[in-house]
Short mmCIF file of all heavy atoms in Angstrom, two decimals:
data_model
loop_
_atom_site.label_atom_id
_atom_site.label_comp_id
_atom_site.label_asym_id
_atom_site.label_seq_id
_atom_site.Cartn_x
_atom_site.Cartn_y
_atom_site.Cartn_z
N GLY A 17 -7.54 -0.44 18.30
CA GLY A 17 -8.21 -1.68 17.89
C GLY A 17 -8.04 -1.98 16.41
O GLY A 17 -8.88 -2.67 15.81
N LEU A 18 -6.97 -1.49 15.80
CA LEU A 18 -6.74 -1.73 14.38
C LEU A 18 -6.04 -3.07 14.19
O LEU A 18 -5.30 -3.53 15.05
CB LEU A 18 -5.89 -0.61 13.78
CG LEU A 18 -6.50 0.79 13.82
CD1 LEU A 18 -5.50 1.81 13.32
CD2 LEU A 18 -7.77 0.83 13.00
N SER A 19 -6.28 -3.68 13.04
CA SER A 19 -5.61 -4.92 12.69
C SER A 19 -5.28 -4.91 11.20
O SER A 19 -5.81 -4.10 10.45
CB SER A 19 -6.48 -6.13 13.04
OG SER A 19 -7.67 -6.11 12.26
N ILE A 20 -4.41 -5.82 10.82
CA ILE A 20 -4.01 -5.93 9.42
C ILE A 20 -4.52 -7.25 8.89
O ILE A 20 -4.44 -8.28 9.55
CB ILE A 20 -2.48 -5.85 9.29
CG1 ILE A 20 -2.02 -4.46 9.74
CG2 ILE A 20 -2.03 -6.14 7.87
CD1 ILE A 20 -0.54 -4.27 9.82
N THR A 21 -5.07 -7.20 7.70
CA THR A 21 -5.58 -8.40 7.05
C THR A 21 -4.79 -8.68 5.78
O THR A 21 -4.27 -7.76 5.16
CB THR A 21 -7.08 -8.29 6.72
OG1 THR A 21 -7.52 -9.51 6.12
CG2 THR A 21 -7.38 -7.12 5.80
N ARG A 22 -4.72 -9.94 5.42
CA ARG A 22 -4.09 -10.33 4.16
C ARG A 22 -5.14 -10.55 3.08
O ARG A 22 -4.82 -10.87 1.96
CB ARG A 22 -3.25 -11.60 4.35
CG ARG A 22 -2.05 -11.42 5.26
CD ARG A 22 -0.91 -10.77 4.50
NE ARG A 22 0.23 -10.46 5.32
CZ ARG A 22 1.32 -11.21 5.41
NH1 ARG A 22 1.39 -12.34 4.76
NH2 ARG A 22 2.31 -10.83 6.16
N GLU A 23 -6.42 -10.37 3.45
CA GLU A 23 -7.53 -10.51 2.50
C GLU A 23 -8.07 -9.12 2.16
O GLU A 23 -8.69 -8.47 3.00
CB GLU A 23 -8.66 -11.37 3.10
CG GLU A 23 -8.28 -12.81 3.33
CD GLU A 23 -8.04 -13.55 2.03
OE1 GLU A 23 -8.69 -13.24 1.01
OE2 GLU A 23 -7.19 -14.45 2.03
N GLU A 24 -7.82 -8.68 0.96
CA GLU A 24 -8.23 -7.34 0.55
C GLU A 24 -9.73 -7.12 0.72
O GLU A 24 -10.16 -6.03 1.10
CB GLU A 24 -7.81 -7.09 -0.91
CG GLU A 24 -8.03 -5.68 -1.36
CD GLU A 24 -7.41 -5.38 -2.71
OE1 GLU A 24 -6.46 -6.07 -3.11
OE2 GLU A 24 -7.88 -4.42 -3.35
N ALA A 25 -10.54 -8.14 0.46
CA ALA A 25 -12.00 -8.01 0.55
C ALA A 25 -12.48 -7.75 1.98
O ALA A 25 -13.58 -7.23 2.18
CB ALA A 25 -12.66 -9.27 0.01
N GLU A 26 -11.67 -8.06 2.98
CA GLU A 26 -12.04 -7.85 4.38
C GLU A 26 -11.65 -6.47 4.91
O GLU A 26 -12.02 -6.11 6.03
CB GLU A 26 -11.37 -8.91 5.26
CG GLU A 26 -11.82 -10.32 5.00
CD GLU A 26 -11.03 -11.33 5.83
OE1 GLU A 26 -10.17 -10.92 6.64
OE2 GLU A 26 -11.29 -12.52 5.66
N ALA A 27 -10.92 -5.70 4.14
CA ALA A 27 -10.32 -4.46 4.62
C ALA A 27 -11.30 -3.29 4.64
O ALA A 27 -12.10 -3.12 3.73
CB ALA A 27 -9.12 -4.10 3.77
N ASP A 28 -11.18 -2.48 5.69
CA ASP A 28 -11.90 -1.20 5.77
C ASP A 28 -11.08 -0.11 5.08
O ASP A 28 -11.64 0.88 4.62
CB ASP A 28 -12.12 -0.80 7.23
CG ASP A 28 -12.99 -1.79 7.98
OD1 ASP A 28 -13.96 -2.30 7.38
OD2 ASP A 28 -12.69 -2.06 9.16
N LEU A 29 -9.76 -0.29 5.05
CA LEU A 29 -8.86 0.64 4.38
C LEU A 29 -7.79 -0.14 3.64
O LEU A 29 -7.39 -1.22 4.08
CB LEU A 29 -8.13 1.54 5.41
CG LEU A 29 -8.94 2.53 6.21
CD1 LEU A 29 -8.03 3.23 7.23
CD2 LEU A 29 -9.60 3.55 5.31
N ILE A 30 -7.34 0.42 2.53
CA ILE A 30 -6.21 -0.15 1.79
C ILE A 30 -5.12 0.92 1.74
O ILE A 30 -5.39 2.05 1.34
CB ILE A 30 -6.62 -0.55 0.36
CG1 ILE A 30 -7.65 -1.66 0.40
CG2 ILE A 30 -5.38 -0.98 -0.44
CD1 ILE A 30 -8.26 -1.98 -0.96
N ILE A 31 -3.92 0.55 2.19
CA ILE A 31 -2.78 1.45 2.03
C ILE A 31 -2.03 0.95 0.80
O ILE A 31 -1.52 -0.16 0.79
CB ILE A 31 -1.86 1.45 3.26
CG1 ILE A 31 -2.62 1.92 4.50
CG2 ILE A 31 -0.64 2.35 3.01
CD1 ILE A 31 -1.81 1.87 5.79
N GLU A 32 -2.00 1.78 -0.23
CA GLU A 32 -1.36 1.42 -1.49
C GLU A 32 -0.07 2.23 -1.64
O GLU A 32 -0.09 3.45 -1.52
CB GLU A 32 -2.32 1.72 -2.64
CG GLU A 32 -1.82 1.29 -3.99
CD GLU A 32 -2.86 1.53 -5.06
OE1 GLU A 32 -2.99 2.68 -5.51
OE2 GLU A 32 -3.56 0.57 -5.41
N VAL A 33 1.04 1.52 -1.88
CA VAL A 33 2.35 2.16 -1.96
C VAL A 33 2.93 1.96 -3.36
O VAL A 33 2.86 0.86 -3.92
CB VAL A 33 3.31 1.57 -0.90
CG1 VAL A 33 4.67 2.25 -0.98
CG2 VAL A 33 2.72 1.69 0.49
N ASP A 34 3.51 3.01 -3.90
CA ASP A 34 4.15 2.95 -5.21
C ASP A 34 5.42 3.81 -5.16
O ASP A 34 5.54 4.70 -4.33
CB ASP A 34 3.22 3.45 -6.30
CG ASP A 34 3.58 2.92 -7.67
OD1 ASP A 34 4.60 2.23 -7.81
OD2 ASP A 34 2.83 3.21 -8.62
N ARG A 35 6.34 3.52 -6.05
CA ARG A 35 7.58 4.29 -6.13
C ARG A 35 7.59 5.05 -7.45
O ARG A 35 7.30 4.49 -8.49
CB ARG A 35 8.79 3.36 -6.08
CG ARG A 35 10.11 4.09 -6.17
CD ARG A 35 11.26 3.10 -5.98
NE ARG A 35 12.51 3.73 -6.30
CZ ARG A 35 13.27 3.41 -7.34
NH1 ARG A 35 12.90 2.46 -8.17
NH2 ARG A 35 14.40 4.03 -7.55
N LYS A 36 7.91 6.32 -7.36
CA LYS A 36 8.02 7.13 -8.58
C LYS A 36 9.25 6.67 -9.34
O LYS A 36 10.32 6.51 -8.77
CB LYS A 36 8.10 8.61 -8.24
CG LYS A 36 6.82 9.11 -7.57
CD LYS A 36 6.88 10.57 -7.32
CE LYS A 36 6.31 11.23 -8.55
NZ LYS A 36 6.21 12.67 -8.44
N LEU A 37 9.09 6.45 -10.62
CA LEU A 37 10.13 5.92 -11.49
C LEU A 37 11.41 6.77 -11.45
O LEU A 37 11.34 8.00 -11.53
CB LEU A 37 9.59 5.83 -12.92
CG LEU A 37 10.33 4.92 -13.88
CD1 LEU A 37 10.40 3.50 -13.37
CD2 LEU A 37 9.65 4.94 -15.23
N PHE A 38 12.53 6.11 -11.30
CA PHE A 38 13.86 6.74 -11.32
C PHE A 38 14.08 7.75 -10.20
O PHE A 38 14.84 8.70 -10.34
CB PHE A 38 14.15 7.41 -12.68
CG PHE A 38 14.03 6.46 -13.84
CD1 PHE A 38 13.09 6.71 -14.83
CD2 PHE A 38 14.83 5.34 -13.94
CE1 PHE A 38 12.96 5.85 -15.91
CE2 PHE A 38 14.70 4.47 -15.01
CZ PHE A 38 13.78 4.72 -16.00
N THR A 39 13.37 7.58 -9.08
CA THR A 39 13.55 8.47 -7.94
C THR A 39 13.62 7.65 -6.66
O THR A 39 13.45 6.43 -6.68
CB THR A 39 12.36 9.46 -7.79
OG1 THR A 39 11.21 8.74 -7.36
CG2 THR A 39 12.06 10.19 -9.08
N SER A 40 13.86 8.33 -5.56
CA SER A 40 13.80 7.68 -4.25
C SER A 40 12.51 8.06 -3.53
O SER A 40 12.39 7.88 -2.33
CB SER A 40 15.03 8.06 -3.42
OG SER A 40 15.10 9.47 -3.29
N SER A 41 11.55 8.60 -4.28
CA SER A 41 10.26 9.02 -3.71
C SER A 41 9.22 7.91 -3.81
O SER A 41 9.06 7.29 -4.86
CB SER A 41 9.73 10.25 -4.44
OG SER A 41 10.50 11.36 -4.16
N PHE A 42 8.53 7.69 -2.71
CA PHE A 42 7.45 6.73 -2.66
C PHE A 42 6.17 7.50 -2.36
O PHE A 42 6.17 8.39 -1.50
CB PHE A 42 7.69 5.69 -1.57
CG PHE A 42 8.78 4.71 -1.89
CD1 PHE A 42 10.11 5.08 -1.79
CD2 PHE A 42 8.48 3.42 -2.30
CE1 PHE A 42 11.13 4.18 -2.09
CE2 PHE A 42 9.47 2.51 -2.59
CZ PHE A 42 10.81 2.89 -2.49
N VAL A 43 5.10 7.18 -3.05
CA VAL A 43 3.81 7.79 -2.79
C VAL A 43 2.90 6.71 -2.20
O VAL A 43 3.03 5.53 -2.53
CB VAL A 43 3.17 8.41 -4.05
CG1 VAL A 43 3.97 9.60 -4.52
CG2 VAL A 43 3.05 7.38 -5.16
#
């Protein structure tokens, strides 16, 4: 029953993605 929202204020969870500088690693 999960869904994705485009409104951050409505979210129960936030998945935050970033890339480590000068690498192919994403955290």
Side-chain angles (χ1 to χ4, degrees):
L18 298 175
S19 64
I20 296 173
T21 181
R22 294 280 175 99
E23 294 293 327
E24 187 170 336
E26 295 176 3
D28 298 321
L29 294 176
I30 296 172
I31 299 176
E32 184 176 80
V33 181
D34 203 356
R35 179 175 170 248
K36 296 183 90 176
L37 198 57
F38 304 119
T39 71
S40 57
S41 290
F42 288 77
V43 293

